């Protein structure tokens, strides 16, 4: 048996229970979970407000994990017992999440943890880094010489996007509220206070009215609409993981620019493309070890028994960095 935080009904708090011990089957590794990252999506799943991130109840939630390999299932290569690993591994579909003492994980979704990061820091990265990588690198092909605008640059996903774009040599700008200007600047981006600067003003000031080569939207809604108006004419590209809602594509079309959506959970839900998630995490680990990628953590500590306090902090947008649940130190 093992302890886990179980969701039995949507909208009802997670409850810590003793459930059957996870066992690694073919292609899986058994991971002793040390830390679980909490994302806004986790809280929406728990509340029953994320139909795109379907889960089968009862469910163990938790998308991100960092931990130690304790057993290998049949047909697993590339890992061995004792490896420290991290990944975006469960909490959707029929995949057990990371809010448990152990998780049987598809080995394709894992990579070795960056040696320079703690378990808590590693657990903060997978969803954010994969989302940013698929948008900025896979879809938009960010490169040196480009001007990149990251919306929500101090947020859980945005601050990773800033670092990835800078690591690729781009000139990076990022929007945020007044309180986040210092964080954005510390990441090496030019901060833009969206509360006091209009789209026209910052496009004129930083691109001479031409628009940004790449815009990464991590906010959605009106911010995605603003992105369509701020992207570079002819060659600009907007990427977003928050493209639901009603949006007019006319501003984008009139600029001759393009848009790509990112659905980070797709390989987990369909089983297709999981190898790419592992590859992204391996490359992200190399960036972290080179000092080019480091997550911001909220200093507060949570355990399985206080997981709903962690959820409340994230759902209320009251965290100062990524919230982590300590599972097994």
């Amino acid at each position: 048996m093992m302890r886990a935080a179980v969701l039995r009904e949507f909208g009802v708090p997670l409850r810590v229970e003793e459930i059957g011990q996870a066992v690694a089957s073919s292609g899986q590794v058994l991971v002793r979970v040390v830390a679980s990252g909490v994302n806004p999506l986790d809280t929406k799943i728990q509340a029953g407000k994320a139909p795109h991130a379907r889960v089968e109840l009862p469910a163990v939630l938790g998308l991100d994990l960092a931990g130690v390999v304790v057993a290998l299932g049949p047909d697993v290569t590339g890992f061995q017992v004792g490896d420290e690993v991290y990944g975006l591994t469960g909490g959707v579909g029929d995949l057990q999440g990371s809010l448990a003492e152990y998780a049987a994980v598809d080995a394709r979704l894992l990579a070795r943890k960056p040696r320079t990061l703690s378990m808590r820091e590693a657990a903060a990265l997978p969803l954010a880094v994969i989302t940013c990588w698929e948008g900025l690198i896979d879809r938009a092909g960010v490169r040196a010489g480009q001007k990149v605008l990251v919306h929500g640059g101090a947020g859980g996903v945005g601050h990773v996007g800033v670092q990835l774009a800078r690591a690729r040599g781009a000139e990076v700008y990022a929007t945020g509220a007044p309180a986040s200007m210092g964080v954005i600047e510390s990441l090496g981006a030019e901060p833009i206070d969206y509360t006091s600067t209009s789209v026209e003003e910052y496009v004129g000031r930083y691109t001479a009215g031409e628009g940004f080569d790449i815009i990464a939207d991590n906010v959605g809604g009106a911010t995605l609409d603003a992105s369509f108006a701020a992207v570079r004419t002819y060659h600009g590209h907007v990427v977003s993981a928050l493209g639901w809602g009603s949006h007019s594509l006319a501003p984008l079309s009139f600029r001759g620019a393009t848009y790509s959506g990112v659905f980070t959970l797709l390989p987990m839900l369909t089983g297709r493309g999981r190898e790419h998630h592992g590859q992204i995490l391996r490359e992200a680990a190399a960036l972290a070890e080179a000092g080019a990628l480091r997550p911001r953590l909220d200093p507060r500590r949570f355990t399985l028994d206080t997981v709903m306090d962690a959820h409340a902090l994230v759902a209320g947008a009251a965290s100062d960095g990524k919230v982590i649940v300590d599972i097994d130190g």
Side-chain angles (χ1 to χ4, degrees), residues 72-86:
L72 305 176
D75 304 318
V76 171
T77 60
F79 294 101
Q80 56 188 347
V81 172
D83 282 345
E84 295 184 334
V85 294
Y86 76 134

Side-chain angles (χ1 to χ4, degrees), residues 51-184:
H52 63 292
R54 63 182 184 274
V55 297
E56 298 178 8
L57 299 181
V60 176
L61 302 188
L63 298 163
D64 293 329
L65 69 70
V68 179
V69 174
V70 295
L72 305 176
D75 304 318
V76 171
T77 60
F79 294 101
Q80 56 188 347
V81 172
D83 282 345
E84 295 184 334
V85 294
Y86 76 134
L88 172 66
T89 59
V92 294
D94 60 353
L95 303 180
Q96 183 213 300
S98 56
L99 291 173
E101 292 177 321
Y102 294 89
V105 175
D106 188 327
R108 296 174 294 174
L109 296 171
L110 287 173
R112 287 184 177 83
K113 178 186 77 66
R115 293 186 298 270
T116 53
L117 300 185
S118 68
M119 286 287 189
R120 286 169 54 79
E121 289 172 320
L125 280 176
L127 177 64
V129 80
I130 292 170
T131 299
C132 292
W133 195 287
E134 290 188 343
L136 287 168
I137 297 174
D138 292 345
R139 309 289 199 279
V142 62
R143 61 186 184 275
Q146 292 182 316
K147 290 189 174 184
V148 175
L149 175 64
V150 177
H151 286 303
V157 175
H159 86 286
V160 171
V162 168
Q163 293 177 78
L164 285 186
R166 291 194 71 244
R168 303 282 285 199
E171 185 178 329
V172 185
Y173 304 79
T175 61
S180 67
M181 295 295 97
V183 171
I184 290 171

